[in-house]
Amino acid sequence: QVQLQESGPGLVKPSETLSLACAVSGGSISSYYWNWIRQPPGKGLEWIGFVSHSGDTSYNPSLESRVTISVDTSKNQFSLKLSSVTAADTAVYYCARAEWLSEFDSWGQGALVTVSS
Amino acid sequence: SYVLTQPPSVSVAPGETARITCGGDNIGSKSVHWYQQRPGQVPMLVIYYDDDRPSGIPERFSGSNSGNTATLTVSRVEAGDEADYYCQVWDNSDLVFGGGTKLTVL
């Protein structure tokens, strides 16, 4: 059973870059698409983007100018960088696995990131 | 961009049937996945590819998809079904979630 675990700072200052990593255990990072999803407090789910095991990416058009998702197959992990953050980026950030254009079958526990000075 | 529309809330009495809709332009041509999110918990897949159930999901959960509406049906609703439910599709290589529906068990 694959497990995903997010890690990174829980507090980020406005205008700085939010950085999170997702460690994949119990399975290989190959052959899947690795996604970031976020959920502001009290609100719905928002897809941020994905990276494939080979480094191909797709991003939510509304965030594309600020997002970079990358994969490190040697560490079996993938990462999210979101630049120029504001309070509106405060959310629980989830990493999740999917096959190509398919459902999310595994999720991390989520990491709350607060943007505040 | 593709938009999925869900009712903000649905309320049913225990034992009744809840139907949660997900509207989108010709959504019947896409594959729809549904997630349940209980308060404070991680979303959990309850229906995939319109009408398939993952192992461990009760048969009370079913799905359908045709025309401009996909529907998640929860039969014989129990108190433990109270949660937020989200539909999800892929539009080309972009993923879209519905806004979510809060199912309240009266």
Side-chain angles (χ1 to χ4, degrees):
Chain A
Q1 181 83 356
V2 69
Q3 293 188 324
L4 288 73
Q5 180 64 58
E6 305 88 349
S7 62
L11 181 64
V12 181
K13 290 182 168 55
S15 80
E16 295 190 343
T17 295
L18 179 159
S19 295
L20 292 173
C22 180
V24 179
S25 59
S28 172
I29 207 163
S30 299
S31 303
Y32 285 95
Y33 291 78
W34 304 94
N35 293 257
W36 288 99
I37 297 147
R38 71 180 183 179
Q39 186 172 35
K43 296 189 178 181
L45 301 170
E46 180 180 34
W47 176 70
I48 299 171
F50 71 65
V51 62
S52 74
H53 64 282
S54 60
D56 297 325
T57 56
S58 180
Y59 301 135
N60 185 324
S62 69
L63 298 169
E64 187 165 15
S65 63
R66 300 193 291 132
V67 173
T68 302
I69 300 176
S70 59
V71 65
D72 187 337
T73 54
S74 66
K75 294 182 179 179
N76 231 38
Q77 71 176 34
F78 61 107
S79 302
L80 167 69
K81 292 188 184 299
L82 181 66
S83 64
S84 305
V85 297
T86 69
D89 295 309
T90 293
V92 174
Y93 286 76
Y94 295 100
C95 56
R97 184 185 81 167
E99 294 187 7
W100 174 242
L101 301 185
S102 188
E103 76 283 3
F104 296 122
D105 62 355
S106 296
W107 296 68
Q109 287 301 303
L112 174 62
V113 179
T114 301
V115 178
S116 175
S117 55
Chain B
S1 62
Y2 195 76
V3 175
L4 294 175
T5 301
Q6 297 183 237
S9 63
V10 168
S11 299
V12 296
E16 298 297 308
T17 296
R19 294 179 179 84
I20 298 172
T21 59
C22 177
D25 183 32
N26 197 26
I27 194 174
S29 67
K30 300 180 183 297
S31 295
V32 181
H33 313 298
W34 291 91
Y35 302 89
Q36 175 194 69
Q37 187 179 32
R38 296 188 174 106
Q41 295 193 13
V42 178
M44 178 178 69
L45 182 70
V46 292
I47 292 289
Y48 64 106
Y49 286 112
D50 296 342
D51 56 8
D52 285 332
R53 267 188 322 277
S55 60
I57 300 300
E59 291 183 7
R60 301 185 297 103
F61 288 82
S62 62
S64 63
N65 184 18
S66 179
N68 293 318
T69 305
T71 303
L72 172 69
T73 300
V74 186
S75 304
R76 301 181 299 283
V77 166
E78 303 174 355
D81 298 331
E82 188 161 286
D84 294 324
Y85 291 83
Y86 297 90
C87 57
Q88 175 243 307
V89 302
W90 287 92
D91 180 43
N92 296 316
S93 62
D94 291 336
L95 185 142
V96 182
F97 283 110
T101 298
K102 181 175 179 58
L103 174 62
T104 299
V105 181
L106 300 172

